[in-house]
Each structure stands twice: as structure tokens, then as C-alpha cells.
Amino acid sequence: IDFYFDELGDRFLGWVIDNYPERFTEVELEEMRAQADSHLDIYEVLDVFPGKGSYIKSLFTKDEGFLKDISSSFGLVKWDIFLTRCYFFQGNYYATGECSRFSLAEKEFIINRMNKARSDYSSLFADTDYAMFAKNNWDIFYQIEREINERIRNKKVYTNYGEFQPCEVHFKVNNIQNILVKIKSLDEFNFIGTSAAKRGQKKTKKIMRFEFDWTTQGIQSELDSIKTGEPEDGLMLATHQLDDTGNKTGIEGIGNLYVDKLKFRLKTNSLELAEFARRHFTDVFGETITFKRIQKLNYNIHSRNTVDEISKEQEMPTQNELELIQEIGEKYYLSLLDQEVPALNNMSPREASKDPATRPLLIDWLKGLENHLERERRNKGLDISMQKIIKELGITW
């Protein structure tokens, strides 16, 4: 639609309308003119009506309206950012072509990148009209999309103890009884249960395997030497353990231990933790185990399963389980309101709600939380009330 043909002296759709109007009805011509005037843009979703469409607003023109598009209404959630081409026709917007969805966290990057491109275009051509900028520079939108994808691919993921890298630490078992006695005396291990492990050359023999969570309890000071600082650019993963009411205990799960009469194997999520475990377990368990190797595991942190794939792999929780998960989840998110958030100038959300200077940051933070909770509701059926969180803060926007 936006490609300018020198041979025609025009863009194709405009040329067709001007030269062959008699081939179309008035309604068809009206819709064609709307498409010819339209351009690529980046929108924010203000509300979604599944099965009908979404209410959207351009990040740059501030134009807003109802996007009558059933298929995208099942994929988009409130506060999503997405790239598409829309045309306005008979009171509604209609999407044409593909739609690319971005994380709300990319909103600031998109705005800054686009403002720079618009400023350069305006300086070069003395033209501030956004529609003409978009029609003449549609490649910039796809360049921004590529840059975002590249940022995501290259973004590092961290644990509280080093960069994310799943590892297994293998030891040979010399005395299973003494190992189990020692584990029982240590606060850092929680017993999970037993299972049958297949051993032997043909893996036909079954022997009992003991499973434990490895936690930070009692060894926090020893772990300080490998503690990760606040990353400048990246995602921080943490597996804090919660109590029965959903509140953080201050103890973090840092690995899973599997022990049988032949093998002592730890799975953990950073090379630093694996190296620490090698030294620490050698000291703690002494001659009952013999270190063999550390094995890095392949992974792709950016891969995503579809909802259908997830449903095949996991059993859906029962109604009672779902209600319990929602109750604990709700208490967890309410507990976040009293914890410091770096994005809120290290204030808690409750403190930020009372500070006029930080209030805009809090609104952005709440939009991100609402976006996340709505996607959890769509994908997993977890209906955690955003209204309770907003009411607790006494804030509206």
C-alpha cells in the first residue's frame, strides 16, 4: 500500500482509486480510501472484549477507537503494545496485515526510538505530519521490531547467585546411610519424597531415590561471596519460598538434590552455585561422597510454549487447588505493596501512592502488573483481583 511507484507517479491504491473508480461501489471506494490513508502504527490496548475486538490508542497520534477484530481480541490483553496497520471505516478500526505484540516493558524503548526517527525526518524534510512520516518510513517500524527481538535474544537472565545457567553437579556415593543422617541434621535441605530410579547397564534394576530441596537456610552468609549485584540490563530470577499464607519466608530455593545408593546429583541454576556446591558438599559430606563432574545443561530461556502445548504437558488443577493457588497468589501480590521496587525509586507501591512525584511511575508499574495478571488469567485460569490491589493503594488513573 505504501510503496511509491515512479511509473505511476503515485502509490498503487491511490492510483487505482483515481483512475478506475467506476469499477467499484461507493462503499468499496470509501473503504479503499480509508486503507490508502492508513499507515503502520504502534498501539496500546486500553481494553479487550473477547470475541468482539479491543479498544486501542496510538502511542504517537493519541487517536483511539474500537478495533473490530475478533481473532486479535483472543490474543491481546489490556496494556499490551502492538504493531499493525489499521484503517478507520464507518466508525471502527480494522487491522490489515500481521500484528506483532510487544511487552509493556518495551514501551519506553519504542517511544524513544520512534521520537528520534521522527526528529531526524522532521529536520531533513521540514515535515512534522506523522501520517506522512509513517507512510514514507514504514521500514523504521520493522527495524524497531528487529531491535526489540535482538534485545530479547541478547538479554541476560540472572539468579541471585550468578548468570542463569542450568547445571548438574555429580558425586559418587560412598556411604548412603551416613549421607542421609548428615542431610537430616542440616537446615539447608527439605525432604520432598522418594521415587524409583533405574540403574544398571540395562537400566532394569530399580532402587530407591531420595529427593530434597536445597535452600539458603543456614548458609546465607557462606553464599554472600557469590551473590549477584543488581544487573544493569537483564532479568533477575528468584525462587523465594512462601509460607502457608503466601508470604515470603526469606529462604530461597537454590537447587534440587537426588540421592540413591549410587548417585548424589544436584540440579541448580547457575555455574557459580554449582561450583559452590562442589566445594560446600565436599566439606560437609567428607568421604561419604566423591566429586565426579559439573555438567552444563542446554536451555533456551526465551522459548515459549503455546497454551495448547502447555495443556498437553500439565494437568489442569482442580477447582479446590485453583482456589488455593489464587488465595495464596492474591496474598503474595498484596504483600508486594509493602516491598521496595527499584522502578519506583526504591519506594514500596504503598509509599509511592502517597508521593506525587513517584505516582506516574506507580501507574506504569500497576499497568504492567495488570497486564501480567490478565495474561495469567487467560492462560492458566488464575483470576487474581487487580481491583483489590488498586483499592488497597487508593489510586485511580
Side-chain angles (χ1 to χ4, degrees):
I1 291 174
D2 277 337
F3 191 83
Y4 188 89
F5 290 87
D6 290 328
E7 296 89 342
L8 302 177
D10 202 348
R11 293 180 170 87
F12 180 70
L13 197 55
W15 179 83
V16 171
I17 294 168
D18 290 340
N19 290 277
Y20 296 96
E22 70 280 359
R23 297 189 180 186
F24 306 96
T25 67
E26 281 304 314
V27 173
E28 288 171 338
L29 284 170
E30 183 186 354
E31 186 166 8
M32 288 167 66
R33 290 188 189 101
Q35 290 190 31
D37 289 341
S38 68
H39 51 79
L40 276 172
D41 207 350
I42 299 176
Y43 298 90
E44 186 170 32
V45 179
L46 304 183
D47 212 345
V48 178
F49 305 89
K52 295 180 180 179
S54 310
Y55 201 81
I56 63 173
K57 181 178 182 179
S58 166
L59 286 185
F60 304 105
T61 68
K62 306 307 177 187
D63 291 338
E64 57 185 81
F66 189 75
L67 172 62
K68 197 169 182 179
D69 190 275
I70 293 174
S71 59
S72 69
S73 73
F74 290 113
L76 296 171
V77 301
K78 193 174 182 181
W79 307 122
D80 271 349
I81 307 295
F82 69 102
L83 164 68
T84 194
R85 184 187 189 100
C86 288
Y87 63 94
F88 191 72
F89 176 63
Q90 296 184 346
N92 291 309
Y93 283 100
Y94 294 87
T96 176
E98 293 186 354
C99 170
S100 297
R101 183 173 61 86
F102 306 116
S103 163
L104 183 61
E106 302 293 348
K107 181 179 177 180
E108 185 179 358
F109 170 79
I110 290 169
I111 290 174
N112 291 339
R113 182 71 176 78
M114 188 64 81
N115 285 344
K116 171 70 166 57
R118 289 177 67 188
S119 176
D120 292 346
Y121 176 81
S122 178
S123 299
L124 191 60
F125 297 102
D127 185 356
T128 59
D129 182 68
Y130 179 74
M132 288 308 297
F133 159 79
K135 289 172 78 67
N136 290 324
N137 296 275
W138 48 265
D139 55 312
I140 287 174
F141 292 89
Y142 294 115
Q143 178 60 32
I144 289 173
E145 181 183 20
R146 285 192 293 272
E147 289 176 15
I148 288 173
N149 290 335
E150 190 66 22
R151 279 158 51 92
I152 291 171
R153 279 194 294 271
N154 293 331
K155 183 175 283 188
K156 292 188 176 182
V157 182
Y158 298 90
T159 71
N160 280 334
Y161 305 97
E163 187 176 338
F164 182 80
Q165 168 58 66
C167 291
E168 286 189 349
V169 189
H170 295 262
F171 293 84
K172 177 187 172 185
V173 169
N174 299 324
N175 190 319
I176 181 67
Q177 293 303 324
N178 286 355
I179 289 172
L180 295 176
V181 169
K182 186 65 179 178
I183 286 176
K184 188 176 180 181
S185 71
L186 298 170
D187 292 335
E188 64 201 80
F189 294 103
N190 293 329
F191 177 65
I192 300 301
T194 60
S195 61
K198 292 183 178 180
R199 294 287 182 260
Q201 287 186 344
K202 296 184 180 179
K203 295 191 182 269
T204 53
K205 272 189 178 180
K206 288 186 178 181
I207 59 177
M208 183 178 290
R209 178 174 63 187
F210 300 86
E211 300 179 14
F212 304 87
D213 276 343
W214 184 39
T215 76
T216 58
Q217 186 167 1
I219 57 171
Q220 287 97 330
S221 58
E222 296 176 59
L223 287 164
D224 282 345
S225 62
I226 61 168
K227 193 96 172 175
T228 305
E230 191 66 34
E232 293 183 7
D233 181 30
L235 176 67
M236 178 71 83
L237 297 179
T239 51
H240 292 286
Q241 297 193 335
L242 307 179
D243 61 21
D244 293 338
T245 61
N247 294 316
K248 287 184 181 180
T249 61
I251 301 166
E252 186 180 352
I254 51 176
N256 303 101
L257 179 64
Y258 305 89
V259 183
D260 59 49
K261 66 180 184 180
L262 299 175
K263 291 186 177 182
F264 181 110
R265 176 171 62 93
L266 176 80
K267 293 179 73 173
T268 192
N269 283 334
S270 81
L271 186 58
E272 287 83 354
L273 272 173
E275 290 286 0
F276 172 83
R278 177 182 64 80
R279 299 189 301 270
H280 177 64
F281 291 168
T282 300
D283 290 342
V284 168
F285 293 99
E287 294 181 355
T288 61
I289 59 174
T290 302
F291 172 71
K292 293 177 69 177
R293 69 183 183 278
I294 291 175
Q295 179 182 358
K296 291 183 182 179
L297 304 178
N298 293 328
Y299 76 99
N300 181 3
I301 192 67
H302 303 299
S303 66
R304 293 288 183 268
N305 290 331
T306 65
V307 176
D308 288 341
E309 287 170 340
I310 291 171
S311 65
K312 289 174 186 174
E313 294 171 7
Q314 302 175 355
E315 291 184 9
M316 292 297 290
T318 65
Q319 186 60 33
N320 287 341
E321 289 171 335
L322 196 59
E323 288 174 3
L324 179 61
I325 292 168
Q326 287 179 184
E327 182 182 345
I328 292 175
E330 199 167 87
K331 288 178 180 177
Y332 167 72
Y333 284 109
L334 287 172
S335 75
L336 289 180
L337 304 186
D338 295 303
Q339 297 180 27
E340 290 183 359
V341 177
L344 302 178
N345 297 329
N346 291 320
M347 289 184 179
S348 71
R350 205 179 299 278
E351 291 170 334
S353 69
K354 299 170 185 173
D355 179 38
T358 316
R359 203 175 176 92
L361 298 177
L362 175 61
I363 290 172
D364 286 341
W365 184 81
L366 286 170
K367 285 180 179 178
L369 180 59
E370 186 174 19
N371 179 264
H372 167 73
L373 291 179
E374 178 59 18
R375 199 158 288 285
E376 289 284 287
R377 186 188 69 79
R378 288 273 191 95
N379 294 343
K380 300 179 183 178
L382 295 177
D383 194 8
I384 295 170
S385 173
M386 187 68 192
Q387 294 308 311
K388 281 189 179 181
I389 294 170
I390 293 172
K391 185 179 179 182
E392 191 74 19
L393 293 175
I395 188 171
T396 57
W397 68 82

